[in-house]
Structure formats: C-alpha cells, structure tokens
Amino acid sequence: MEYWAKLVELLGPPSHSTRPGAWDALESDLGICFPADYKEFIDSYAPVRLNSHLHFTHPSHLEWDLKKWVFVTLEAYRGLDWVDLTPSEFESAAPRFGAPDGLVPLVESDRGECVFFQPGEAPRMYVYVGSDDDFYRYDMTFSEWLYRYLRGEDMTGPNSSAFIPGPVRFDALPGAEGSRGALWFGPHRSE
C-alpha cells in the first residue's frame, strides 16, 4: 500500500465514494479478481481521463461501463495474430487473454497503449504498445505502475516517458461529471 498512499498524494483526495457491489458481476463474469488497488482507484476517481490521455471507466457507470470495455477489449486482442511475438515474452508462444491466467485490460491511452494485469500471486503488469507492436512487462502493482507513469518514468516501454509538468489533470468523461465538475487538477507538485 506504500504506492497507493503516494498515488493519492499525487492525485489529491478521492472525488467519489465506493459503490457497494459494483465489482461483483464483472469479476464473476470474468472469473477473476481485479487488483485491490486498481478497484480502489476506479472507485475513488473514475470514470475519468488523466492528463488528457489515460482513459478509466467504472463497472457501475451506464455510459462508461468497465465491464463492456473489458469484454470488447479482450475480444479484440484475442482476434489478433500474435505469431510474431517471441516465446520469451510469455510463458507460451503467444499471450492469452482473460481468465483464469490470461491478460486482463485495465486502462488504455489515446497513444495506442493498453495496460493489462495478469492474475496470480505476484503483481504483474503488461503494457501493449501498438506503435511498437510489442508487450512490456512490469513486475509491480497497479498503484506503483500508475504512480511511476504519472511521475514521468518509462512505463510503456523504452523511451516512453509521458511526463506532463504541473498537477495531474482530471477530465470527467462526458456524462460523468461529479461534485468537482468536468475538469479539476490534483495538488501542485514540484518537478
């Protein structure tokens, strides 16, 4: 939880409250449990776009439905031909998607990146970068990955820093404006 605390400090206090039961149907239908820190982030801030390019949906929002997005994304990635991936990138010759141990999408960017987690005991994140047509593995929690991404580290492959100076920008996705309105910023940060 060290990185969760750092992430909240970077983002500012949560703007939403947890919606009881929001995750039950999604996790049941997928046959997996999402990482606890990811669920905490989604319940606290989503549906939202961070720094104008990371798009987060929520399992209880009618328009920005995480369940719908996850299933559409899984279907799209299952339909791709992964023959060019080397066996060393995954334990088998090609990535698997969905339960019980395949990759499950968490967030996408408007830069052609999709962040996945792999269910299991050890936290493991994979980022698919469309322009590279490659996956990059990060053995860390979602909170650590997002914190380091927002701090400007290369978290979507080599030389991929997406640092935006100043406070983190939040854009509520259309129809999801909350008590803070459609646009707000996290705390000031010195970089």
Side-chain angles (χ1 to χ4, degrees):
M1 282 304 197
E2 170 191 355
Y3 276 96
W4 173 249
K6 289 180 176 187
L7 185 59
V8 170
E9 185 177 323
L10 180 69
L11 298 175
S15 62
H16 303 300
S17 59
T18 302
R19 296 166 184 108
W23 294 93
D24 297 345
L26 175 57
E27 291 181 325
S28 176
D29 288 349
L30 282 171
I32 56 99
C33 287
F34 281 86
D37 58 339
Y38 174 75
K39 293 193 297 187
E40 183 75 21
F41 172 82
I42 294 298
D43 281 340
S44 298
Y45 299 100
V48 70
R49 185 174 58 226
L50 292 183
N51 283 345
S52 301
H53 64 271
L54 281 179
H55 304 263
F56 294 92
T57 56
H58 194 283
S60 70
H61 196 276
L62 295 176
E63 188 173 347
W64 301 103
D65 182 3
L66 179 62
K67 179 178 177 178
K68 180 179 176 184
W69 176 79
V70 165
F71 279 99
V72 166
T73 303
L74 284 172
E75 193 62 32
Y77 277 84
R78 286 177 182 141
L80 295 175
D81 183 7
W82 298 103
V83 71
D84 292 334
L85 287 178
T86 60
S88 63
E89 293 178 39
F90 292 92
E91 293 171 6
S92 64
R96 292 184 309 278
F97 297 93
D101 59 354
L103 303 180
V104 178
L106 298 177
V107 61
E108 65 183 345
S109 80
D110 63 359
R111 300 175 349 149
E113 303 148 343
C114 191
V115 180
F116 295 85
F117 85 100
Q118 186 172 33
E121 293 179 24
R124 184 171 295 161
M125 309 292 292
Y126 284 93
V127 179
Y128 176 73
V129 180
S131 60
D132 294 350
D133 198 24
D134 210 350
F135 281 88
Y136 299 98
R137 177 177 159 179
Y138 298 91
D139 292 334
M140 60 186 62
T141 64
F142 169 77
S143 294
E144 181 179 357
W145 181 87
L146 183 57
Y147 174 79
R148 292 173 64 179
Y149 179 90
L150 293 171
R151 299 276 302 165
E153 295 183 36
D154 292 337
M155 299 308 295
T156 57
N159 303 312
S160 64
S161 175
F163 180 70
I164 296 175
V168 174
R169 176 185 171 133
F170 292 82
D171 290 287
L173 297 177
E177 294 84 2
S179 60
R180 292 185 179 176
L183 167 68
W184 70 97
F185 293 89
H188 176 74
R189 58 182 174 165
S190 58
E191 283 1 89

